[in-house]
Amino acid sequence: MRILTCLKQVPERDSRYKLNQDGSRILQEDLVFETNESDLYALEEALRLKERFGGEVAALSLGPDRVSKVLRNALAMGADRAIHLKDQAFEHGDAWGAAQAIAAAVASRDYDLVLTGVQSEDMAFAQTGAVVAQILGWPCATIVMEIALEADTRKVQVKRELESNVFERVELPLPAVLTIQSGSHPIRYATLRGIMQAKRKEYRVLTASDLGLSAETLGEVAAKVTHHRLLAPERKKRTVMIDGGAEEAARTLMDKLVNEVGVL
């Protein structure tokens, strides 16, 4: 069983964002980064499948040098090898560009499963996994909470979360792409032994040319989504004092809720 888990590095949740001059991009110089949470759940699922059925788990991440922290942590948690997609051609791309690079890396090796998080915490496109499946021509299931693998029949059964506390069970043939919902299983910690072992595991860096991709099909020039302007939410707070007796104040409050706020 060969499993590839895709991990994205995102700014910490409590980060204070600053925009560039034209407001089209977030400045990253002063940000602290961490691994996307749902991607960690995807890695946990991959490691559990490996423990049950054997095989290997590869961790993949796309980005600059700082992404190595994400991959080293994945190796310390139990992944067998790391793939770092690093090239300026990948910069400022969208889900389409990332999916192309991931699909090219998948095609270079015989994987049975590709796992991603359900969405990233920074852009929240929730598209990358599905687009990878489309490019590869593989079946795909999203928002997966449970995985039941039948290695002999080359099939995987998954439980998906829908809306209003409704769930769906789907059976897919392998190879397949699954996007994992947060909270499926508790995420393990990297042990001291795992950290020491990570230093001896394979860490491979691949560029766009290594993947057979042209710079014209990647990054900002090929992005399907264009950010014209980003805006920070405005904080508006206004306190209104209502005078008079209880009945008069209640009437005044109802009038404001209906005619000014529009919540009733």
Side-chain angles (χ1 to χ4, degrees), residues 151-219:
D152 296 336
T153 60
R154 299 283 297 169
K155 293 181 179 179
V156 59
Q157 294 181 349
V158 301
K159 177 182 177 182
R160 301 181 60 236
E161 181 181 11
L162 305 181
E163 296 180 353
S164 302
N165 201 32
V166 176
F167 302 93
E168 178 184 50
R169 292 192 179 274
V170 182
E171 183 176 85
L172 307 172
L174 299 179
V177 179
L178 307 177
T179 72
I180 308 301
Q181 174 69 297
S182 300
S184 50
H185 283 110
I187 299 171
R188 69 190 65 192
Y189 291 98
T191 63
L192 179 58
R193 180 183 179 185
I195 294 172
M196 299 302 296
Q197 290 177 339
K199 298 177 181 180
R200 301 190 296 271
K201 293 181 179 179
E202 178 185 353
Y203 188 104
R204 190 178 182 189
V205 179
L206 297 177
T207 64
S209 60
D210 293 331
L211 298 172
L213 298 174
S214 171
E216 289 74 21
T217 64
L218 300 167

Side-chain angles (χ1 to χ4, degrees), residues 112-116 129-130 132-133 136 138-142 172 175-179:
D112 300 291
L113 270 176
V114 174
L115 303 184
T116 75
V132 169
L136 294 172
W138 290 8
C140 176
T142 59
L172 307 172
V177 179
L178 307 177
T179 72

